Amino acid sequence: EAGVAQSPRYKIIEKRQSVAFWCNPISGHATLYWYQQILGQGPKLLIQFQNNGVVDDSQLPKDRFSAERLKGVDSTLKIQPAKLEDSAVYLCASSLAGGGAADTQYFGPGTRLTVL
Amino acid sequence: AQSVAQPEDQVNVAEGNPLTVKCTYSVSGNPYLFWYVQYPNRGLQFLLKYITGDNLVKGSYGFEAEFNKSQTSFHLKKPSALVSDSALYFCAVRDEGGGFKTIFGAGTRLFVKA
């Protein structure tokens, strides 16, 4: 079974530029998550989709971050404009069911973003 | 509010010795607990989870974890450490009161010395 795919793996941009990350979840997984992992910290949920609907985006900085999951499969996370504090690893994860208590999340390799 | 604490930034153990990575949690309802491992430049890999039932949970690569409700802990253990176990370990918790949002600890780096 193929895992969660993410691209690019690394990205370096100047502050105020825009950037986009792509995620392809495990086939058949209904729920997709984007996490931000700042160096030295655990992952923090940015947004959760179930199929193509948003379940939770309470921690997404909506003035600069946006995400979409068209057709309930692939997803794109965008930052515009980027700030220095956005430097982090952006992890995508997917799970089979609806994100309930027992649902196991499977993570992609992440995209390491450096904002200069 | 839900929270997870991993009190040790780093754990050092000799190969062949038992290892323990500590985790305590705070939730308002019944906890659902997870351990993940992260190798350099890789995403998080699922190790094991506690949902209900037996307090001792067995997972991948010989790891196990013990749920202790009275101490609100979920420590990760392995009877005999391998050098290849050296990695970053994350404890995570989820509960109904938090909308089943997964809250991760800050992580514990495990070094296993040959």
Side-chain angles (χ1 to χ4, degrees):
Chain A
E1 177 181 84
V4 176
Q6 290 188 248
S7 67
R9 292 294 312 276
Y10 304 91
K11 190 74 176 178
I12 300 174
I13 61 172
E14 301 279 336
K15 61 183 178 183
R16 292 187 288 274
Q17 286 186 323
S18 60
V19 64
F21 312 128
W22 173 83
C23 173
N24 180 243
I26 293 172
S27 177
H29 280 198
T31 307
L32 185 147
Y33 313 79
W34 282 103
Y35 286 88
Q36 181 191 58
Q37 185 180 15
I38 293 173
L39 188 64
Q41 299 180 19
K44 182 185 82 172
L45 180 69
L46 291 175
I47 188 167
Q48 177 181 338
F49 293 95
Q50 184 166 346
N51 297 311
N52 59 352
V54 175
V55 173
D56 185 341
D57 64 356
S58 58
Q59 298 186 103
L60 187 73
K62 298 181 187 64
D63 57 334
R64 297 184 300 107
F65 286 64
S66 64
E68 60 182 10
R69 191 184 183 196
L70 299 176
K71 302 181 181 179
V73 182
D74 293 6
S75 178
T76 302
L77 176 69
K78 296 179 181 177
I79 307 175
Q80 182 180 5
K83 293 185 175 182
L84 296 176
E85 59 260 36
D86 298 331
S87 293
V89 176
Y90 290 84
L91 295 166
C92 180
S94 69
S95 63
L96 183 60
D103 213 14
T104 298
Q105 296 176 37
Y106 296 90
F107 285 80
T111 297
R112 182 177 298 276
L113 174 67
T114 302
V115 182
L116 302 176
Chain B
Q2 296 77 13
S3 66
V4 177
Q6 294 183 242
E8 302 155 316
D9 290 336
Q10 185 172 308
V11 170
N12 297 308
V13 65
E15 188 174 34
N17 284 359
L19 69 87
T20 299
V21 182
K22 296 180 180 177
C23 172
T24 60
Y25 65 88
S26 175
V27 297
S28 55
N30 291 322
Y32 303 93
L33 296 151
F34 301 78
W35 276 102
Y36 286 85
V37 60
Q38 187 174 37
Y39 296 99
N41 299 314
R42 302 276 295 277
L44 277 68
Q45 294 180 30
F46 169 74
L47 281 179
L48 51 80
K49 65 182 176 184
Y50 171 82
I51 303 302
T52 187
D54 195 346
N55 289 343
L56 185 63
V57 179
K58 294 188 183 296
S60 305
Y61 312 120
F63 284 93
E64 59 189 28
E66 187 168 11
F67 171 63
N68 187 317
K69 188 173 183 178
S70 63
Q71 295 186 5
T72 62
S73 67
F74 189 57
H75 300 331
L76 181 70
K77 300 180 180 183
K78 187 174 183 180
S80 179
L82 299 173
V83 172
S84 57
D85 293 330
S86 298
L88 190 55
Y89 290 81
F90 290 96
C91 180
V93 70
R94 192 186 289 170
D95 82 319
E96 187 174 5
F100 298 118
K101 180 185 300 182
T102 306
I103 305 298
F104 285 86
T108 298
R109 188 164 297 280
L110 173 67
F111 285 102
V112 181
K113 184 177 179 181

